[in-house]
Amino acid sequence: MFETMHVRSGRPWLLDDHLDRMAGSAARLDLDLPPRAELVGLADTLCAQWPAGTEGALKIICTRGPEDGDGITCYGTLTAVPDSTHAVRRNGLRLGTLNLGLASDARSAAPWLLGGAKTLSYAMNMACQRWAAAAGLDDVLWVSSDGYLLEAPTSTLVWLEHRTLYTVPQATGILSGTTARWLLDHVDALGWHAGERMVRQDELERASGVWLTSSVRGIVAVRELDGVKFTEPAPTETLRDLLGFQA
Amino acid sequence: MFETMHVRSGRPWLLDDHLDRMAGSAARLDLDLPPRAELVGLADTLCAQWPAGTEGALKIICTRGPEDGDGITCYGTLTAVPDSTHAVRRNGLRLGTLNLGLASDARSAAPWLLGGAKTLSYAMNMACQRWAAAAGLDDVLWVSSDGYLLEAPTSTLVWLEHRTLYTVPQATGILSGTTARWLLDHVDALGWHAGERMVRQDELERASGVWLTSSVRGIVAVRELDGVKFTEPAPTETLRDLLGFQA
């Protein structure tokens, strides 16, 4: 399993939330993580030399290795935020939908499908993003077989309707987005409410703003979905400021 | 992606078939494999010191590494066949079914789901096998959301009805089993026919023999499925001999 964090002012943002999620992934994989202090130490060591004024992407990876191996290996990397991330923050995203083949309630009843776990098994996630690139798009949004929008391969869907910021319920088996969760916990500062609900594509087209959130990109406006242009969402800057990201 | 082969008489059995399947996986992952001679050379080097009279399991792994990395890294391992494999060849398998959440036709229309590709993303396959172990079973058999039996996490389903040996159609998105394919291509030696069809659990319970095939275990009788005992299939030895495996 792995976690990727935004490094700002020389520190990983939301480190505790990410390590909580990693503990949840480990439980779903029947894997014992090292003591939390060890993972915090790994993050500290990597961040120690990082220039305070520079954004970074910190990745912590823990793996069992071969199924018959015992123990667990954890390591980390810290890299600069690529130019493409800055470009997408400015320009927003053109998305296409891809059917995930699973019903929106399939994973809640089937823990062996590992819904909600952030494992290293990302072949399909990456195949979907390559599909997007080949179609001249920036990313994809997964749709359940019963027609609900779920999440993107590496980010979380949030949208605004009548001063309520929504995301998709966990019961669909999506990954719990740390950035989205923090945002929903703090939108009362803007006088908004936070909500969770299932959403269909035609409903999303009528929202007053649609975004993807993720740890390193922060919050990025969705400008197009399956060829339908979305209104430029007025509050993108406000939400990005609230989250503490630069454009 | 990876391939695992049975090493017998100091050579990997069905090497060409495995490398063909690896090429298919690479195509689904938009990945360029090294020239085939290089992969054959890797297998040769590993097998060179292996004692001719000892069964082995040869694994060849090719990986892109990080999504933004360029090129591909291939390496291999050669290990002894574990005692547990010999035990299961003798004793057969107790299986439980697990719902895969996908309809039997979901993957044929959605190449981004990587049906038929043998990728390294095995977290869910391994989670299913841990589920089996926790339930006191040997392995699981995946069922589609519309009620068809598909495959096991690391092996292929074959069954015998009225002198026809069947397996599940590729169109369901299962991995093409090299051992099952070879067996179906050679059952005319036993006076049987080879077939492919979709099968439900109640139909399987009426078959005259049910097996799982895989590269290192060879062919193993299914003795129980979801608590229903299966008849000891008379031709297990004959099929194992045809495939050239020892008990």
Side-chain angles (χ1 to χ4, degrees), chain A residues 203-227:
Chain A
E203 298 173 304
L204 204 64
E205 290 168 8
R206 296 190 295 269
S208 28
V210 182
W211 299 270
L212 293 184
T213 62
S214 54
S215 296
V216 176
R217 290 199 304 209
I219 185 158
V220 179
V222 175
R223 304 299 309 276
E224 187 181 317
L225 183 61
D226 287 344

Side-chain angles (χ1 to χ4, degrees), chain A residues 18-38:
Chain A
H18 283 282
L19 294 181
D20 286 347
R21 186 168 69 181
M22 188 170 244
S25 299
R28 286 177 177 82
L29 293 171
D30 290 321
L31 203 49
D32 288 324
L33 282 183
R36 183 171 291 223
E38 208 170 292

Side-chain angles (χ1 to χ4, degrees), chain B residues 6-246:
Chain B
H6 188 241
V7 173
R8 51 172 71 170
S9 309
R11 299 288 314 147
W13 191 50
L14 303 181
L15 176 62
D16 273 345
D17 295 337
H18 283 283
L19 294 181
D20 285 347
R21 186 168 69 180
M22 188 169 245
S25 299
R28 286 175 177 84
L29 294 171
D30 291 321
L31 202 50
D32 287 325
L33 282 182
R36 183 171 290 222
E38 208 170 292
L39 298 174
V40 172
L42 178 59
D44 284 348
T45 305
L46 284 161
C47 290
Q49 307 298 325
W50 194 255
T54 307
E55 288 184 78
L58 171 68
K59 191 179 277 196
I60 293 184
I61 300 128
C62 292
T63 177
R64 185 198 312 266
E67 182 68 5
D68 51 358
D70 51 339
I72 184 168
T73 306
C74 295
Y75 60 100
T77 62
L78 175 53
T79 53
V81 172
D83 288 343
S84 58
T85 297
H86 294 288
V88 95
R89 285 182 193 162
R90 281 191 304 273
N91 303 332
L93 294 163
R94 297 176 59 233
L95 306 181
T97 57
L98 284 184
N99 196 321
L100 192 59
L102 294 167
S104 55
D105 63 355
R107 291 185 283 192
S108 63
W112 52 86
L113 298 179
L114 299 179
K118 194 169 173 71
T119 78
L120 292 168
S121 286
Y122 259 45
M124 196 269 287
N125 304 51
M126 297 296 102
C128 288
Q129 293 194 330
R130 285 193 300 274
W131 179 93
L137 299 170
D138 299 304
D139 208 339
V140 309
L141 202 49
W142 284 327
V143 184
S144 68
S145 58
D146 50 341
Y148 293 99
L149 297 170
L150 297 172
E151 61 184 335
T154 60
S155 46
T156 312
L157 176 65
V158 298
W159 70 97
L160 182 65
E161 291 177 66
H162 309 297
R163 305 182 69 79
T164 298
L165 192 70
Y166 286 97
T167 191
V168 174
Q170 286 295 298
T172 56
I174 63 163
L175 190 72
S176 173
T178 47
T179 310
R181 183 61 42 209
W182 190 94
L183 188 59
L184 265 71
D185 286 347
H186 291 81
V187 283
D188 53 352
L190 307 176
W192 296 356
H193 299 284
E196 282 191 359
R197 75 173 186 88
M198 311 282 281
V199 69
R200 293 180 178 275
Q201 198 161 344
D202 59 335
E203 297 174 304
L204 205 62
E205 290 167 8
R206 296 190 296 270
S208 29
V210 181
W211 299 269
L212 293 184
T213 61
S214 54
S215 295
V216 176
R217 291 199 303 209
I219 186 158
V220 180
V222 176
R223 304 299 308 277
E224 187 183 316
L225 182 61
D226 288 344
V228 176
K229 308 274 188 217
F230 280 34
T231 324
E232 166 73 58
T236 301
E237 281 304 310
T238 309
L239 291 169
R240 184 180 293 130
D241 287 348
L242 181 62
L243 284 166
F245 283 89
Q246 303 154 17

